[in-house]
Amino acid sequence: MGPNEDYDIVCVGSGAGGLVAAIVAANQGAKALVVEKDDRVGGVTALTGGQIWIAPNPYQADQHIDDSDEDALAYINFLAASMGNMDNRQAYVTRGGEALSYLRDLGLGLIPIPRYADYYYPEAPGSKADGRYLEPLPFPASRLGRWEHRTTVGQGAMTTQHGGSSLTNAELAGAASDPHALEIRKAARLKNNERCMGSGLIANLVDMALHASVDIWTSAPAVRLLGENHVEGIVVRQEGSERTVRARNVVLATGAYDWSPELVETHEFIKNMFSLTPPTITGDHFQLASQFRAMTATTLPQGCSRHVGINIPGETWGGKPFYRMMIMGLPHCIMVNARGKRFGDESFFHTYSSNAYEFDGHHQTFPNWPAWFVFDQNYKDKYPIGPIASGAPLPDGMALIAETIPALADAAGIDASGLDATIKRFNTLVESGVDSDFHRGTKLWSHSWGDSRMPNPNMGPLDTAPFYAIPLERVGTGLASAGLKTDANGAVIGIDKRPITGLFAVGNAAARIEMGCGYNSGMAIGRSLVFGYLAAKTAFPDDQ
């Protein structure tokens, strides 16, 4: 290969958005290239649960589930809290099914997640109990040939030991009730070399890209774009030297900026945030688009999936500590602040992940941070924590352990009287079966993360010594409050309020302006698929 190479489109980043844009462009007759900063393909998508929320979608008809553009828009309008861009929102809804049908015809294998409700069902207008969530079919990685070991395999970002890439979301929904059955299923998947969730989605998309003759370069960070008034190409660094790629279209699918402390503090107002994303996620799209005077946009930080989580001692990813989100919907646990007080519904992260960042202007403090995950021996005996099986010892230094609540509070630096009162109050609520303080266990979605053997799948008392406390960390999930401003086709908008010719942004590189203040799991990958498709179809329309 010479120093100058020609392509019709270059996609920077190999998550779902970048791969879809390349696949669609190639299917439209374009010569497509994907450049990936990491040494493996998959980006953040490969580490996720692979959930996809697109409504209405073509899979609903197979299940005889009624849905409509009007209902989907009503639901997202509720999530958005009257904020955001309606044109982009309508494109996501009205063309989402079109994108899925197109990709399905090219070989994308998806299946509905049964009995998986919208976050705010039934209280939100347009919400549905079923049919809007999709996930990848298990994909045999051996089909990838030499790319099998060049695609990322997720470790499992959730706290369940059954995560990773060997089980589906449908199977994980019942993890607490029959862990033995899941271990059997997991062993069968490993034997068959099948990948699920985000890793399965990426394997499927890589296979589609290879069949479409898309070129993929790894360990190839983008250095700068070429052009003045319109995109003319891109410079990529590979093996210590720069390669110039001429292209009329560039799609920025670099992810967010979780591992850039400066950008995190600027846009998320957090110091010392960790992340479950690869360490390559450093906000490169801002620098690349800046030479074209691209606009940025922000959404409410509390509306993102900024989470709380833990690092299990010894777990790393790409040379950085690997963090897992804490889904605290199981019984026998609570989350508290330094005063020992609960501050949200632990089974529904939208309440505690937003309240964890509450700012008290009277005292100039964050009253709910630091925070702790507190549980008893019942929890330890019944449920796993990440890869640590139920009943197994915790690694040294992971948790504080004490025989009494006051002793645990003293060890952790939590107000002892506050924690004691909170646990007594919580146990009383468990007895009544109703969390009148924070409504834990009232959302159908939350039951998927609970224990179906309990009267309330999300509640159980903390009454069996010893007691445990794990300090929580602020953990990014790859979603960002800020990104490049795009139009309804994924084109990046310049400060002159006009689309920059040939420049697109999709996935977490694009501001989530269609979502306003809200979020529902599955929308991150959903918008990557839809706007990746729209960007490619805009650059290479059917009638060209």
Side-chain angles (χ1 to χ4, degrees):
M1 293 184 182
N4 295 313
E5 297 164 72
D6 293 326
Y7 283 87
D8 297 311
I9 186 170
V10 179
C11 300
V12 184
S14 63
L19 287 173
V20 164
I23 291 164
V24 174
N27 194 59
Q28 296 292 106
K31 184 181 180 183
L33 169 67
V34 173
V35 296
E36 169 55 51
K37 184 179 181 181
D38 208 344
D39 61 357
R40 291 174 185 257
V41 175
V44 175
T45 305
L47 304 182
T48 69
Q51 294 179 3
I52 299 165
W53 191 103
I54 293 177
N57 67 69
Y59 298 85
Q60 290 172 313
D62 300 335
Q63 298 180 290
H64 307 290
I65 294 174
D66 291 328
D67 204 351
S68 66
D69 292 352
E70 292 74 19
D71 281 352
L73 281 169
Y75 181 64
I76 300 179
N77 288 340
F78 170 86
L79 291 178
S82 301
M83 303 291 284
N85 182 284
M86 185 57 73
D87 288 341
N88 290 28
R89 188 175 308 159
Q90 287 179 327
Y92 178 54
V93 169
T94 61
R95 302 196 67 185
E98 171 191 331
L100 284 182
S101 294
Y102 185 101
L103 293 169
R104 181 169 62 177
D105 289 345
L106 292 181
L108 181 62
L110 301 177
I111 191 171
I113 305 175
R115 299 176 297 281
Y116 222 67
D118 289 340
Y119 276 0
Y120 294 95
Y121 176 82
E123 65 264 35
S127 60
K128 302 291 180 184
D130 204 0
R132 288 176 168 173
Y133 280 92
L134 307 169
E135 69 172 319
L137 288 167
F139 189 88
S142 54
R143 284 173 50 178
L144 299 177
R146 68 186 185 93
W147 284 93
E148 175 184 346
H149 302 294
R150 299 177 68 184
T151 54
T152 298
V153 180
Q155 298 182 25
M158 303 298 185
T159 51
T160 169
Q161 74 182 103
H162 307 293
S165 61
S166 299
L167 293 168
T168 66
N169 285 276
E171 291 161 347
L172 285 176
S177 58
D178 195 354
H180 179 65
L182 289 189
E183 286 303 310
I184 295 173
R185 181 65 60 86
K186 184 176 180 180
R189 291 262 167 72
L190 291 170
K191 182 179 179 181
N192 295 330
N193 197 18
E194 292 179 331
R195 297 179 187 173
C196 302
M197 298 196 289
S199 298
L201 176 62
I202 287 298
N204 193 164
L205 291 173
V206 168
D207 184 61
M208 292 167 63
L210 296 175
H211 279 91
S213 299
V214 174
D215 289 338
I216 304 174
W217 298 350
T218 55
S219 301
V223 177
R224 61 186 176 276
L225 296 176
L226 300 175
E228 294 184 8
N229 298 318
H230 62 274
V231 170
E232 297 178 7
I234 192 168
V235 176
V236 176
R237 182 178 296 111
Q238 196 174 39
E239 297 179 352
S241 61
E242 292 188 350
R243 300 172 70 172
T244 299
V245 180
R246 300 292 177 184
R248 293 181 294 107
N249 299 281
V250 171
V251 177
L252 300 178
T254 56
Y257 43 78
D258 291 44
W259 290 104
S260 169
E262 180 183 10
L263 291 174
V264 168
E265 182 175 355
T266 299
H267 298 297
E268 309 298 335
F269 306 101
I270 303 172
K271 279 186 177 292
N272 303 319
M273 187 183 86
F274 299 96
S275 178
L276 54 82
T277 67
T280 52
I281 305 300
T282 54
D284 298 351
H285 50 295
F286 288 127
Q287 178 266 320
L288 290 168
S290 64
Q291 71 191 70
F292 286 96
R293 304 175 76 195
M295 286 186 72
T296 60
T298 60
T299 54
L300 183 72
Q302 286 88 336
C304 288
S305 187
R306 298 183 311 173
H307 222 289
V308 299
I310 61 170
N311 168 243
I312 296 172
E315 286 196 325
T316 61
W317 185 274
K320 300 276 189 178
F322 178 70
Y323 280 82
R324 297 174 182 269
M325 296 188 299
M326 285 302 298
I327 302 292
M328 289 168 275
L330 288 164
H332 314 297
C333 72
I334 57 173
M335 180 170 56
V336 299
N337 58 25
R339 293 174 294 133
K341 304 296 185 183
R342 296 174 66 210
F343 52 89
D345 170 5
E346 294 92 341
S347 70
F348 187 57
F349 71 82
H350 255 299
T351 65
Y352 66 74
S353 63
S354 59
N355 292 347
Y357 300 96
E358 177 187 339
F359 183 72
D360 177 359
H362 188 68
H363 298 95
Q364 290 299 101
T365 60
F366 295 92
N368 294 325
W369 203 259
W372 288 262
F373 170 49
V374 177
F375 55 101
D376 73 348
Q377 190 61 36
N378 274 322
Y379 186 101
K380 185 71 192 68
D381 289 339
K382 293 166 68 174
Y383 310 121
I385 303 176
I388 304 167
S390 55
L394 299 177
D396 290 343
M398 180 176 170
L400 299 160
I401 308 172
E403 290 297 320
T404 67
I405 296 299
L408 182 72
D410 287 342
I414 303 170
D415 180 80
S417 61
L419 182 60
D420 187 60
T422 293
I423 291 178
K424 286 177 179 175
R425 167 69 176 169
F426 181 74
N427 289 345
T428 300
L429 296 174
V430 171
E431 230 176 277
S432 72
V434 177
D435 178 9
S436 55
D437 291 345
F438 295 102
H439 313 292
R440 177 165 164 173
T442 59
K443 284 189 163 48
L444 185 59
W445 181 87
S446 299
H447 292 181
S448 299
W449 298 101
D451 186 340
S452 60
R453 298 168 295 183
M454 303 290 283
N456 182 329
N458 303 116
M459 291 181 70
L462 284 78
D463 57 10
T464 304
F467 300 94
Y468 301 79
I470 298 178
L472 294 168
E473 300 287 355
R474 287 167 164 165
V475 175
T477 60
L479 295 182
S481 298
L484 298 173
K485 189 171 184 178
T486 57
D487 69 9
N489 293 311
V492 177
I493 304 297
I495 60 172
D496 60 0
K497 300 184 180 179
R498 294 184 295 182
I500 299 167
T501 303
L503 186 60
F504 301 86
V506 300
N508 295 320
R512 300 178 311 105
I513 55 177
E514 75 278 5
M515 298 303 169
C517 295
Y519 177 74
N520 197 104
S521 59
M523 287 181 172
I525 297 180
R527 66 193 295 268
S528 293
L529 299 182
V530 174
F531 289 105
Y533 164 83
L534 292 176
K537 292 282 278 188
T538 300
F540 307 99
D542 293 330
D543 58 356
Q544 65 176 351

